[in-house]
Amino acid sequence: MSQLPSKDEILQWISDNPTETSKRDIARAFGIKGAARIDLKRILKELEAEGHLEKRKKTYRDPDRLPPVAVMRVGVPDADGDLFAHPMEWAGEGEAPVALIVAKPGDPALGEGDQVLLRLQEVADEDHAYEGRLIRRIGTNPRKVLGIFRAGSEGGRIHPIDKGDDKEWIVAADAVAGAKDGELVEAEQAGPKGRMGLPRARIVARLGDPSAPKAVSLIAIHQHGIPDEFPDEVIAEADAMKPAGLEGREDLRELPLVTIDPSDARDHDDACFAHEDDDPKNAGGHVIWVAIADVAHYVTPGSALDREAKKRGNSSYFPDRVVPMLPDRLSGDLCSLHEGVPRACLAVRMQIDAHGQKIGHRFVRGLMKSPASLHYQEVQAAMDGAPNEKVAPLMDEVIRPLYAAYDALCDARAARQPLDLDLPERKVVLSEEGEVLSVNFTERLDAHRLIEEFMILANVAAAETLLAKKSPLLLRVHEEPAPEKLDALREVAETAGLSLAKGQGLKTMHLNRLLKAAEGTDHAEQINMATLRAMTQAYYSPANFGHFGLSLKSYAHFTSPIRRYADLVVHRALISVHGWGEDGLSPQEVERLEQTAEHISQTERRSMLAERDTNDRYLAAFLSERVGEEFSGKISGVARFGVFVRLDETGADGLIPMRSLGREYFQFDAESATLTGQDSGRVIGMGQRVTVKLAEAVPVTGGIALELVSIEGKAVKRGASARRGSAPRRKQGQAKRKGAKMKRKVERRRK
């Protein structure tokens, strides 16, 4: 290009190419060379002075953008009847962008002036920069109901599946939404609350067969009593919130704090940045910043939001949905560290030496603006030599320094020796209709471990600060294994030809030696699972008993206040000890810390059970089409009533009932966790390789029944247990009855 581009042309280029915004990128795009670069620099400075751009290090970016979730006001419909919404809050200098509202079936009618909470997606269109899908109208909070629809002559009724709700709901003919008799449906209240007679509802989603995959998580939510409906006063409080400003905060907006999350994450509650320490006394050291959403600014002690967050205790995660601890206005908007949006935070600046040991830290209450929301896979791909357009401009300033600091933390981790279990995480992948597409084992990348180590370091800093200042707080406690559980682990190790030393104070390094010895052998999974079973369950406590698994003297949860109430308590404690405001720990909270710790430990276990039951049901649904097929696996548990097998392909656990083990009576030995065939002498124990046939998979219960085909490569004769021989008839009858009660036993074992 022979002449310089206009300011409008430059702004349009930056808007169209947000990842190529350095002066070099702009010059290359417009063919600017030599002395003309000086004129380009002048134009960019003018645009910056006029507020059209802001300079961050070596790149130019649009100064502000709308978050993925935002409160907006509906405008007048245009000539085509389309509705556009305008943001209620806009920090940019230029004209606020608008969003086209894309309605979906079942959405209520909207009119001019309505305030709505929208989920936004950026688009390139002439008259709007975003498309928005309705979450809800501000000021409305219709009650939800999940139940079985029963068709009638005019409309029908909904029978709630919740055991505590025996009141039917009337559905008018025009509110049925095509639902058929016997279908599971989601509905919301229609008409004013408190009317005489049965409440009225309109169906908003048809879930089909109650045993269908799409209904699985909803049923688990109701069965386990997880609150999934926010009271009106909670929604009203959340809707009234405004973004926090800079007053009373340290300005961190120039720090390139990036969020790194799963690719499907909707909220971002932690961000990080690292660089080499310029302190000459710490040669080779690093400075690590971890910034966490300042939830305490919005959720104050004793408020309706606070009471509901404490009641829930935590968010609950399922393959197809999340039951959040906080309403969307906070979890998806004001308390989410979205790219390009100013957000309130609590941050900790930590110094580590060249060997990853923390040598100092300080906390600040700040205002940040993340330059990028990244996901694990793209960050790891960039470090592996294949950066995409979004990550490439961040490599030198952000990504490589993060990994350099992580390398140092790995040295400290190796010296500390936390428990190093190798337990692959299962991920259920669903279609939009809720059908199970696949069950995969998620790959653990260095990008995952990097964030994990940064968060652990920040959590340690929070605990150390509050304990040093003698502040009340909630700690994350993990006590040493009980002696009897260690004895059981030793027995499992001995059956695998391994050993766990006795007669000394147990440390994680002793367990790691056992795990390392089993690594790469057929017993690796068995030893990992047995070690996990030997562990006590972590919990929350105002008293400090240390964290055995992480090999830490003190540990607190600080990094996820959007989804864990314990972290919110820790934030309030930090606010109090630093004198940052009136929204710190209240005297009433301090008095109830013991009860709070017990309650949120219970809600955490409740969510874990619901999530596990949901995964079990999805796995059963996934396998239900493959009844009769053979699968390979390992024995993961032995009980009086049968043998548990973990399938290699999906990681699903199934039960071989005693009656399906073969044509002989098996004697159960509790101490060695084995079954011994009375005729053949065959010993069945943990870790043995087996081939099984899928006999039954029941999505409604999540139960999977298997038949034994071969063990350690040797075929097993199938059929009923022999009546003759040394096995008494009474014992045969007991075995048969226990097999018939398989599902009940499995459920009892899970609890």
Side-chain angles (χ1 to χ4, degrees):
M1 180 177 285
S2 57
Q3 60 183 29
L4 289 171
S6 67
K7 291 181 179 179
D8 286 341
E9 288 173 327
I10 291 175
L11 290 174
Q12 185 61 49
W13 163 259
I14 291 174
S15 176
D16 293 340
N17 302 273
T19 62
E20 301 178 14
T21 53
S22 69
K23 187 174 72 175
R24 179 182 300 176
D25 291 332
I26 297 169
R28 186 185 302 115
F30 291 99
I32 299 171
K33 300 179 181 178
R37 288 176 178 265
I38 299 174
D39 292 324
L40 174 62
K41 184 177 180 180
R42 172 183 53 78
I43 294 174
L44 292 174
K45 283 190 172 294
E46 288 176 2
L47 286 170
E48 184 183 355
E50 293 166 4
H52 295 298
L53 296 176
E54 66 172 357
K55 188 176 183 181
R56 182 178 285 112
K57 303 296 181 183
K58 297 180 180 180
T59 66
Y60 292 88
R61 298 179 183 272
D62 295 324
D64 284 284
R65 65 184 64 180
L66 293 177
V69 174
V71 176
M72 307 188 78
R73 188 188 300 277
V74 179
V76 180
D78 66 7
D80 297 324
D82 289 332
L83 283 177
F84 292 87
H86 305 263
M88 298 291 292
E89 301 139 9
W90 174 243
E93 296 293 331
E95 185 178 349
V98 298
L100 170 66
I101 299 176
V102 180
K104 57 181 182 291
D107 280 354
L110 300 176
E112 181 186 1
D114 283 345
Q115 293 183 32
V116 291
L117 190 64
L118 297 180
R119 190 170 304 282
L120 301 174
Q121 182 176 357
E122 289 190 67
V123 296
D125 203 285
E126 293 182 0
D127 56 0
H128 59 278
Y130 296 86
E131 288 183 353
R133 294 189 179 274
L134 182 69
I135 296 175
R136 59 180 171 80
R137 185 191 286 120
I138 296 294
T140 62
N141 184 34
R143 184 182 170 190
K144 299 291 180 64
V145 61
L146 177 71
I148 305 296
F149 176 67
R150 293 302 179 192
S153 56
E154 294 183 4
R157 295 191 179 193
I158 296 173
H159 300 263
I161 67 167
D162 192 343
K163 294 177 182 177
D165 190 353
D166 57 358
K167 184 180 289 187
E168 295 180 350
W169 292 65
I170 296 175
V171 182
D174 60 355
V176 170
K180 297 179 180 179
D181 186 71
E183 282 189 328
L184 184 70
V185 296
E186 272 189 295
E188 64 181 21
Q189 183 163 341
K193 298 182 180 181
R195 288 185 62 176
M196 296 292 290
L198 294 177
R200 293 184 172 273
R202 68 182 186 91
I203 293 172
V204 295
R206 295 171 55 194
L207 304 176
D209 183 349
S211 64
K214 197 171 182 180
V216 167
S217 59
L218 288 171
I219 292 173
I221 288 165
H222 282 255
Q223 283 183 337
H224 289 274
I226 296 174
D228 64 338
E229 183 181 343
F230 286 106
D232 291 347
E233 59 179 342
V234 174
I235 294 295
E237 271 192 8
D239 288 348
M241 295 295 174
K242 303 295 181 186
L246 187 58
E247 184 178 355
R249 298 178 178 277
E250 188 168 324
D251 192 347
L252 305 178
R253 288 176 292 181
E254 290 302 311
L255 282 181
L257 290 153
V258 297
T259 63
I260 305 176
D261 293 288
S263 57
D264 56 354
R266 287 187 173 182
D267 54 64
H268 313 278
D269 54 5
D270 58 78
C272 56
F273 170 60
H275 61 82
E276 290 184 5
D277 195 349
D278 55 10
D279 185 346
K281 296 179 181 179
N282 189 28
H286 304 265
V287 172
I288 299 173
W289 281 89
V290 171
I292 308 298
D294 188 357
V295 177
H297 174 81
Y298 302 99
V299 184
T300 54
S303 64
L305 278 164
D306 181 45
R307 292 193 300 271
E308 184 66 18
K310 183 177 178 180
K311 175 183 176 183
R312 296 178 179 224
N314 49 265
S315 298
S316 300
Y317 292 84
F318 302 92
D320 62 334
R321 71 190 68 238
V322 176
V323 180
M325 187 178 79
L326 301 172
D328 262 317
R329 171 63 170 148
L330 298 183
S331 62
D333 185 8
L334 296 178
C335 297
S336 192
L337 308 178
H338 294 304
E339 175 181 333
V341 183
R343 284 292 177 256
C345 65
L346 263 61
V348 56
R349 179 187 186 272
M350 299 171 287
Q351 283 180 287
I352 62 172
D353 63 20
H355 303 291
Q357 299 294 335
K358 183 167 65 65
I359 59 175
H361 69 267
R362 69 179 176 90
F363 284 88
V364 301
R365 201 172 196 181
L367 188 72
M368 61 163 284
K369 184 158 71 170
S370 176
S373 295
L374 308 175
H375 62 76
Y376 293 115
Q377 287 75 15
E378 66 182 344
V379 170
Q380 189 62 54
M383 277 303 293
D384 292 341
N388 62 19
E389 292 182 353
K390 187 171 187 178
V391 183
L394 302 170
M395 289 301 297
D396 291 337
E397 183 186 5
V398 178
I399 305 302
R400 289 192 180 94
L402 285 176
Y403 274 79
Y406 165 64
D407 287 342
L409 289 179
C410 286
D411 292 342
R413 179 185 174 89
R416 192 177 85 242
Q417 286 234 16
L419 188 61
D420 192 18
L421 289 170
D422 181 19
L423 298 170
E425 184 181 348
R426 221 166 34 195
K427 184 177 178 63
V428 178
V429 181
L430 303 178
S431 68
E432 291 185 3
E433 293 74 29
E435 296 291 333
V436 183
L437 296 177
S438 62
V439 180
N440 303 319
F441 290 99
T442 55
E443 185 181 6
R444 285 276 293 166
L445 306 171
D446 279 347
H448 292 99
R449 298 184 182 95
L450 180 153
I451 295 300
E452 184 178 275
E453 289 300 317
F454 282 17
M455 298 305 115
I456 289 173
L457 196 66
N459 288 337
V460 169
E464 289 178 351
T465 293
L466 294 173
L467 289 171
K469 294 180 180 291
K470 302 186 185 307
S471 169
L473 78 155
L474 288 180
L475 292 127
R476 184 65 167 176
V477 171
H478 186 226
E479 298 185 71
E480 293 183 14
E484 58 271 18
K485 292 208 171 182
L486 286 177
D487 288 341
L489 174 58
R490 286 190 182 95
E491 289 177 2
V492 173
E494 287 172 5
T495 62
L498 304 170
S499 64
L500 177 63
K502 285 185 179 181
Q504 56 183 323
L506 180 73
K507 295 183 179 179
T508 48
M509 67 178 182
H510 300 136
L511 295 171
N512 285 340
R513 286 174 191 160
L514 172 63
L515 294 167
K516 187 68 176 177
E519 186 178 340
T521 72
D522 287 342
H523 302 287
E525 184 179 0
Q526 174 191 3
I527 296 298
N528 273 271
M529 289 301 300
T531 303
L532 178 64
R533 291 192 186 102
M535 294 299 105
T536 60
Q537 192 164 27
Y539 62 96
Y540 294 104
S541 171
N544 186 19
F545 301 113
H547 198 294
F548 175 79
L550 291 175
S551 192
L552 293 168
K553 293 180 180 178
S554 56
Y555 192 65
H557 275 165
F558 159 75
T559 53
S560 295
I562 288 180
R563 61 185 180 89
R564 292 188 305 226
Y565 192 79
D567 303 56
L568 177 56
V569 172
V570 170
H571 277 227
R572 287 174 179 164
L574 288 167
I575 291 167
S576 293
V577 299
H578 288 94
W580 286 333
E582 300 299 318
D583 45 359
L585 270 181
S586 68
Q588 294 81 5
E589 280 187 288
V590 174
E591 289 180 9
R592 295 193 297 265
L593 274 182
E594 189 74 48
Q595 297 94 311
T596 299
E598 185 177 348
H599 169 71
I600 62 177
S601 295
Q602 290 173 351
T603 61
E604 179 185 49
R605 287 192 285 272
R606 176 181 67 185
S607 293
M608 288 172 60
L609 286 171
E611 292 163 14
R612 188 179 67 186
D613 284 355
T614 298
N615 278 329
D616 285 349
R617 288 185 172 109
Y618 275 124
L619 284 168
F622 181 61
L623 293 171
S624 62
E625 301 297 323
R626 302 175 65 181
V627 170
E629 290 187 28
E630 292 187 358
F631 298 85
S632 62
K634 285 183 182 178
I635 295 176
S636 58
V638 178
R640 289 184 180 277
F641 52 88
V643 174
F644 289 91
V645 173
R646 176 156 295 176
L647 304 181
D648 294 334
E649 181 182 331
T650 61
D653 287 306
L655 176 69
I656 306 174
M658 192 69 76
R659 66 177 181 273
S660 300
L661 286 177
R663 296 181 175 178
E664 62 179 317
Y665 174 76
F666 283 85
Q667 181 69 41
F668 174 63
D669 186 335
E671 289 188 6
S672 62
T674 59
L675 291 169
T676 303
Q678 195 147 349
D679 295 337
S680 67
R682 179 190 293 120
V683 177
I684 298 177
M686 298 267 288
Q688 290 178 322
R689 298 288 311 175
V690 294
T691 301
V692 294
K693 185 168 78 170
L694 180 61
E696 186 180 27
V698 187
V700 174
T701 64
I704 296 173
L706 306 170
E707 292 179 1
L708 185 60
V709 176
S710 68
I711 183 165
E712 298 292 353
K714 295 181 180 179
V716 174
K717 293 181 180 180
R718 286 177 284 176
S721 298
R723 292 194 175 186
R724 57 187 180 84
S726 55
R729 287 178 178 269
R730 181 175 59 84
K731 290 189 176 182
Q732 292 175 2
Q734 288 175 346
K736 186 174 182 180
R737 286 193 296 275
K738 286 175 181 176
K741 295 176 181 177
M742 176 191 67
K743 292 175 186 176
R744 188 189 309 169
K745 295 265 187 191
V746 172
E747 290 302 318
R748 188 177 300 147
R749 184 178 186 271
R750 286 174 177 163
K751 294 177 181 178

